[in-house]
Each structure stands twice: as C-alpha cells, then as structure tokens.
Amino acid sequence: MAEPVVRVPDAKVALSTASVYPESTATAFEVAARLGYDGVEVMVWTDPVSQDVEALRRLSDYHRVPILAVHAPCLLITQRVWSTDPWVKLQRARTAAEKLGASTVVVHPPFRWQRQYARDFVSGIWRMADETDVRFAVENMYPWRYKDREVLAYAPEWDVTKDDYRHYTVDLSHTATARTDALAMIDRMGDRLGHVHLADGRGSAKDEHLVPGRGTQPCAELLERLAVTGFDGHVVIEVNTRRAMSAAEREADLAEALAFTRLHLASAAGRPSRTPRP
C-alpha cells in the first residue's frame, strides 16, 4: 500500500484567550470556533470569566470548543487572582484543568522576589505533578532589559532547561526576547517538551508575541521538527493583537497564524516518529 504524501501529527492547535486582548475570554471562544481552532488555552487573569470554572464550561459547551490547557495566573497583573499564595494559584489551576478536561497547566517560574516560592519551586512542581494526570509545563522566560541594563527577574532560572521539570512549555516570543536559540532550547527539553506557545519576535527587549512568520524566530522549522518527531502535545497561538484596528483585522491575524501553523505541522511521510510520552 502506498504511503500518504503528508502526515500530520496528533498535536492540536489551540488559541490562547490572551490573543484577543483587550477583548474578553468569551470573545476568544467565539473566534476559536469561527476560525476552526481545535480548542483554547484559558489565560487566567483579571477577566472574571477566566477565573470561573462553570462559566468556562458553559462557553466550551456552547461553542463546542474544548479547553485544552489552563495558564495559571503568573503575571504581575494577576498577583491577587486566585489568592496571593502562588501555591494556592497552582492548586486552583490544577483543579480547574481537571474539571474542564484540560491536559496541561502552564506555569511561569517564580519572580526572584518570591523567595520562598522560588526556593521550593522545582520540588513543589514535581510534588504537584505526582498528584494528578494533568501536566505542569513550566515555561521559558527571559531577562528584563532596559537600555544597557539586564535584570534577572525570574528564579531559579528564566531558562527553565537549567532545572529539572517533568514537562516544559517553549514560548518563541520569549526566546526572541531572551535572544536565545529556540531550536537548541527544544533540543535540551527533549521528550519533556509538552506544550508550545507559538508566536514570533525580533529580539526586542519587549515581549512582542508577533504573528508567526513576522519575526526572526524559527517558527516554521520548529513546527516541522515537531511534525517529524510525532509531537503529541498542544501548539497554542499566543499572539498580541492589541494594535488591530477592528475585530476583522484581529481575526485575519489569528486566521493567518492558524494557517501558518497547520501548514508547517504537515511533514513529508516516511520520516521516523517517536514513541508518544506517557
């Protein structure tokens, strides 16, 4: 029997609800359904709907868009969302993921000033990962830069591959801001790469989150490598559309990002695939 010309991996392509900001979480579900995304990643932030498991379930059911991942509230603007205790935030994120059928919780490494949290973070993430089937995928970050100064804002490391985690998230906007080699980073992550935030960047000090293909990051090469290796995690479009002049312009950007991702996730047949991770 002839082999198929194209093989597409099992990875699903999801839309981060952050990609429609300043529009609402509810809008993200509408856009994801209209454009044909496989699901959404919920960014838990100041929008009350993003914090409400039952409201999220209703949106998912109504639009028939599954929730594939939950991004724990790790940003500066979410310091008081779901408690001021960072471990409580992660426990609530895990509970939300379990109730919503999401396979992954995305988490940032601690800020350096969260000293106790940072000290226990690696062992604590392993402990929490042992208590659930949900993956805790720790995301690479970047140094903060201002003019000629560099501030190491995250601990233990912004480069999470320097620490031992069961699963990682790679974010290509963050590799751009860190001015690090994205493909070398995923090589270091190896089979522990469980989740991808797909965006682009040009190496600015700002975390740009451009539509894939509009910056300098190897977005196409990374997707093609995922396809060849049989990646079974999720690829999440997490881009900045705040400058869109209209809803139509925002949707055009998100449609372009989806088309780019699906195109490059298709790979030539006959290449070896790896055994899916447990």
Side-chain angles (χ1 to χ4, degrees), residues 144-165:
W144 290 3
R145 294 189 179 91
Y146 178 71
K147 295 183 178 178
D148 59 347
R149 297 184 60 190
E150 184 174 287
V151 177
L152 300 180
Y154 299 97
E157 292 283 348
W158 64 262
D159 179 352
V160 293
T161 64
K162 293 182 179 180
D163 291 297
D164 181 30
Y165 301 109

mmCIF file of all heavy atoms in Angstrom, residues 144-165:
data_model
loop_
_atom_site.group_PDB
_atom_site.id
_atom_site.type_symbol
_atom_site.label_atom_id
_atom_site.label_comp_id
_atom_site.label_asym_id
_atom_site.label_seq_id
_atom_site.Cartn_x
_atom_site.Cartn_y
_atom_site.Cartn_z
ATOM 1 N N TRP A 144 14.869 40.688 31.896
ATOM 2 C CA TRP A 144 14.288 42.003 31.642
ATOM 3 C C TRP A 144 15.416 42.957 31.275
ATOM 4 O O TRP A 144 16.470 42.978 31.926
ATOM 5 C CB TRP A 144 13.573 42.515 32.888
ATOM 6 C CG TRP A 144 12.307 41.751 33.210
ATOM 7 C CD1 TRP A 144 11.800 40.669 32.559
ATOM 8 C CD2 TRP A 144 11.411 42.037 34.286
ATOM 9 N NE1 TRP A 144 10.639 40.246 33.166
ATOM 10 C CE2 TRP A 144 10.375 41.060 34.215
ATOM 11 C CE3 TRP A 144 11.374 42.991 35.294
ATOM 12 C CZ2 TRP A 144 9.317 41.038 35.130
ATOM 13 C CZ3 TRP A 144 10.323 42.968 36.206
ATOM 14 C CH2 TRP A 144 9.305 42.006 36.116
ATOM 15 N N ARG A 145 15.207 43.757 30.231
ATOM 16 C CA ARG A 145 16.242 44.678 29.767
ATOM 17 C C ARG A 145 15.709 46.110 29.717
ATOM 18 O O ARG A 145 14.575 46.338 29.331
ATOM 19 C CB ARG A 145 16.739 44.281 28.374
ATOM 20 C CG ARG A 145 17.478 42.949 28.333
ATOM 21 C CD ARG A 145 18.134 42.744 26.978
ATOM 22 N NE ARG A 145 18.873 41.492 26.932
ATOM 23 C CZ ARG A 145 18.346 40.338 26.530
ATOM 24 N NH1 ARG A 145 17.080 40.302 26.124
ATOM 25 N NH2 ARG A 145 19.063 39.246 26.525
ATOM 26 N N TYR A 146 16.593 47.042 30.107
ATOM 27 C CA TYR A 146 16.291 48.464 29.949
ATOM 28 C C TYR A 146 17.583 49.159 29.534
ATOM 29 O O TYR A 146 18.565 49.156 30.285
ATOM 30 C CB TYR A 146 15.746 49.067 31.239
ATOM 31 C CG TYR A 146 15.466 50.548 31.129
ATOM 32 C CD1 TYR A 146 14.389 51.011 30.369
ATOM 33 C CD2 TYR A 146 16.289 51.477 31.761
ATOM 34 C CE1 TYR A 146 14.136 52.370 30.240
ATOM 35 C CE2 TYR A 146 16.046 52.834 31.644
ATOM 36 C CZ TYR A 146 14.961 53.275 30.884
ATOM 37 O OH TYR A 146 14.728 54.623 30.754
ATOM 38 N N LYS A 147 17.589 49.692 28.311
ATOM 39 C CA LYS A 147 18.787 50.305 27.741
ATOM 40 C C LYS A 147 19.926 49.281 27.790
ATOM 41 O O LYS A 147 19.844 48.231 27.190
ATOM 42 C CB LYS A 147 19.110 51.625 28.443
ATOM 43 C CG LYS A 147 18.030 52.686 28.214
ATOM 44 C CD LYS A 147 18.386 54.003 28.841
ATOM 45 C CE LYS A 147 17.291 55.042 28.551
ATOM 46 N NZ LYS A 147 17.576 56.339 29.179
ATOM 47 N N ASP A 148 21.001 49.574 28.554
ATOM 48 C CA ASP A 148 22.133 48.647 28.574
ATOM 49 C C ASP A 148 22.143 47.790 29.839
ATOM 50 O O ASP A 148 23.131 47.124 30.148
ATOM 51 C CB ASP A 148 23.452 49.409 28.455
ATOM 52 C CG ASP A 148 23.641 50.427 29.576
ATOM 53 O OD1 ASP A 148 22.658 50.718 30.283
ATOM 54 O OD2 ASP A 148 24.768 50.921 29.744
ATOM 55 N N ARG A 149 21.016 47.792 30.555
ATOM 56 C CA ARG A 149 20.953 47.030 31.803
ATOM 57 C C ARG A 149 20.112 45.777 31.613
ATOM 58 O O ARG A 149 19.121 45.769 30.883
ATOM 59 C CB ARG A 149 20.366 47.880 32.931
ATOM 60 C CG ARG A 149 21.192 49.096 33.302
ATOM 61 C CD ARG A 149 20.585 49.813 34.485
ATOM 62 N NE ARG A 149 20.511 48.940 35.658
ATOM 63 C CZ ARG A 149 19.846 49.268 36.776
ATOM 64 N NH1 ARG A 149 19.186 50.416 36.848
ATOM 65 N NH2 ARG A 149 19.832 48.440 37.790
ATOM 66 N N GLU A 150 20.501 44.706 32.296
ATOM 67 C CA GLU A 150 19.769 43.449 32.255
ATOM 68 C C GLU A 150 19.441 43.034 33.679
ATOM 69 O O GLU A 150 20.315 43.011 34.548
ATOM 70 C CB GLU A 150 20.616 42.374 31.568
ATOM 71 C CG GLU A 150 19.906 41.047 31.392
ATOM 72 C CD GLU A 150 20.714 40.071 30.579
ATOM 73 O OE1 GLU A 150 20.826 40.252 29.346
ATOM 74 O OE2 GLU A 150 21.258 39.111 31.182
ATOM 75 N N VAL A 151 18.162 42.710 33.923
ATOM 76 C CA VAL A 151 17.709 42.303 35.248
ATOM 77 C C VAL A 151 17.210 40.871 35.170
ATOM 78 O O VAL A 151 16.373 40.539 34.319
ATOM 79 C CB VAL A 151 16.574 43.226 35.760
ATOM 80 C CG1 VAL A 151 16.070 42.747 37.118
ATOM 81 C CG2 VAL A 151 17.065 44.666 35.846
ATOM 82 N N LEU A 152 17.722 40.028 36.044
ATOM 83 C CA LEU A 152 17.265 38.631 36.103
ATOM 84 C C LEU A 152 16.070 38.579 37.039
ATOM 85 O O LEU A 152 16.217 38.534 38.266
ATOM 86 C CB LEU A 152 18.408 37.732 36.574
ATOM 87 C CG LEU A 152 19.642 37.741 35.670
ATOM 88 C CD1 LEU A 152 20.720 36.826 36.229
ATOM 89 C CD2 LEU A 152 19.262 37.314 34.245
ATOM 90 N N ALA A 153 14.885 38.609 36.466
ATOM 91 C CA ALA A 153 13.659 38.763 37.251
ATOM 92 C C ALA A 153 13.084 37.436 37.731
ATOM 93 O O ALA A 153 12.201 37.425 38.587
ATOM 94 C CB ALA A 153 12.610 39.495 36.425
ATOM 95 N N TYR A 154 13.535 36.304 37.150
ATOM 96 C CA TYR A 154 12.924 35.008 37.448
ATOM 97 C C TYR A 154 13.907 34.083 38.151
ATOM 98 O O TYR A 154 15.116 34.128 37.907
ATOM 99 C CB TYR A 154 12.431 34.350 36.155
ATOM 100 C CG TYR A 154 11.380 35.166 35.445
ATOM 101 C CD1 TYR A 154 11.722 36.018 34.395
ATOM 102 C CD2 TYR A 154 10.041 35.105 35.842
ATOM 103 C CE1 TYR A 154 10.756 36.786 33.751
ATOM 104 C CE2 TYR A 154 9.078 35.877 35.207
ATOM 105 C CZ TYR A 154 9.444 36.712 34.158
ATOM 106 O OH TYR A 154 8.491 37.470 33.538
ATOM 107 N N ALA A 155 13.367 33.239 39.022
ATOM 108 C CA ALA A 155 14.182 32.277 39.749
ATOM 109 C C ALA A 155 13.432 30.943 39.807
ATOM 110 O O ALA A 155 12.203 30.929 39.806
ATOM 111 C CB ALA A 155 14.465 32.792 41.166
ATOM 112 N N PRO A 156 14.106 29.795 39.847
ATOM 113 C CA PRO A 156 15.554 29.651 39.865
ATOM 114 C C PRO A 156 16.246 30.174 38.597
ATOM 115 O O PRO A 156 17.354 30.675 38.669
ATOM 116 C CB PRO A 156 15.771 28.143 40.010
ATOM 117 C CG PRO A 156 14.480 27.596 40.527
ATOM 118 C CD PRO A 156 13.413 28.500 39.981
ATOM 119 N N GLU A 157 15.588 30.035 37.404
ATOM 120 C CA GLU A 157 16.194 30.464 36.151
ATOM 121 C C GLU A 157 15.110 30.880 35.164
ATOM 122 O O GLU A 157 14.036 30.291 35.155
ATOM 123 C CB GLU A 157 16.995 29.323 35.498
ATOM 124 C CG GLU A 157 18.240 28.910 36.254
ATOM 125 C CD GLU A 157 19.403 29.873 36.072
ATOM 126 O OE1 GLU A 157 19.317 30.741 35.183
ATOM 127 O OE2 GLU A 157 20.388 29.746 36.820
ATOM 128 N N TRP A 158 15.411 31.890 34.309
ATOM 129 C CA TRP A 158 14.478 32.167 33.209
ATOM 130 C C TRP A 158 14.586 31.076 32.154
ATOM 131 O O TRP A 158 13.603 30.761 31.474
ATOM 132 C CB TRP A 158 14.739 33.543 32.599
ATOM 133 C CG TRP A 158 16.075 33.719 31.946
ATOM 134 C CD1 TRP A 158 17.182 34.296 32.495
ATOM 135 C CD2 TRP A 158 16.458 33.316 30.630
ATOM 136 N NE1 TRP A 158 18.228 34.267 31.605
ATOM 137 C CE2 TRP A 158 17.813 33.666 30.442
ATOM 138 C CE3 TRP A 158 15.781 32.696 29.573
ATOM 139 C CZ2 TRP A 158 18.511 33.416 29.269
ATOM 140 C CZ3 TRP A 158 16.464 32.440 28.391
ATOM 141 C CH2 TRP A 158 17.809 32.793 28.250
ATOM 142 N N ASP A 159 15.786 30.485 31.999
ATOM 143 C CA ASP A 159 15.969 29.346 31.102
ATOM 144 C C ASP A 159 15.643 28.095 31.895
ATOM 145 O O ASP A 159 16.484 27.568 32.637
ATOM 146 C CB ASP A 159 17.408 29.298 30.584
ATOM 147 C CG ASP A 159 17.658 28.114 29.650
ATOM 148 O OD1 ASP A 159 16.760 27.248 29.520
ATOM 149 O OD2 ASP A 159 18.750 28.031 29.066
ATOM 150 N N VAL A 160 14.421 27.627 31.742
ATOM 151 C CA VAL A 160 13.936 26.544 32.609
ATOM 152 C C VAL A 160 14.637 25.222 32.340
ATOM 153 O O VAL A 160 14.544 24.298 33.152
ATOM 154 C CB VAL A 160 12.404 26.384 32.476
ATOM 155 C CG1 VAL A 160 11.697 27.617 33.035
ATOM 156 C CG2 VAL A 160 11.988 26.129 31.030
ATOM 157 N N THR A 161 15.357 25.106 31.215
ATOM 158 C CA THR A 161 16.064 23.851 30.946
ATOM 159 C C THR A 161 17.247 23.661 31.881
ATOM 160 O O THR A 161 17.844 22.574 31.924
ATOM 161 C CB THR A 161 16.549 23.778 29.491
ATOM 162 O OG1 THR A 161 17.512 24.810 29.241
ATOM 163 C CG2 THR A 161 15.389 23.923 28.520
ATOM 164 N N LYS A 162 17.607 24.685 32.647
ATOM 165 C CA LYS A 162 18.684 24.541 33.623
ATOM 166 C C LYS A 162 18.208 23.857 34.894
ATOM 167 O O LYS A 162 19.019 23.558 35.784
ATOM 168 C CB LYS A 162 19.292 25.907 33.941
ATOM 169 C CG LYS A 162 20.022 26.532 32.756
ATOM 170 C CD LYS A 162 20.661 27.853 33.125
ATOM 171 C CE LYS A 162 21.410 28.447 31.927
ATOM 172 N NZ LYS A 162 22.047 29.743 32.268
ATOM 173 N N ASP A 163 16.899 23.638 35.006
ATOM 174 C CA ASP A 163 16.333 22.934 36.156
ATOM 175 C C ASP A 163 15.572 21.704 35.675
ATOM 176 O O ASP A 163 15.283 21.551 34.493
ATOM 177 C CB ASP A 163 15.418 23.868 36.958
ATOM 178 C CG ASP A 163 16.199 24.964 37.657
ATOM 179 O OD1 ASP A 163 17.035 24.624 38.524
ATOM 180 O OD2 ASP A 163 15.998 26.147 37.335
ATOM 181 N N ASP A 164 15.247 20.842 36.600
ATOM 182 C CA ASP A 164 14.678 19.530 36.292
ATOM 183 C C ASP A 164 13.163 19.558 36.477
ATOM 184 O O ASP A 164 12.671 19.595 37.603
ATOM 185 C CB ASP A 164 15.309 18.485 37.223
ATOM 186 C CG ASP A 164 14.786 17.081 36.970
ATOM 187 O OD1 ASP A 164 14.416 16.789 35.818
ATOM 188 O OD2 ASP A 164 14.749 16.282 37.928
ATOM 189 N N TYR A 165 12.422 19.559 35.358
ATOM 190 C CA TYR A 165 10.962 19.507 35.395
ATOM 191 C C TYR A 165 10.482 18.339 34.544
ATOM 192 O O TYR A 165 11.141 17.946 33.577
ATOM 193 C CB TYR A 165 10.352 20.804 34.848
ATOM 194 C CG TYR A 165 10.766 22.047 35.607
ATOM 195 C CD1 TYR A 165 11.640 22.971 35.034
ATOM 196 C CD2 TYR A 165 10.294 22.302 36.889
ATOM 197 C CE1 TYR A 165 12.027 24.111 35.714
ATOM 198 C CE2 TYR A 165 10.682 23.438 37.588
ATOM 199 C CZ TYR A 165 11.544 24.336 36.999
ATOM 200 O OH TYR A 165 11.938 25.464 37.678
#
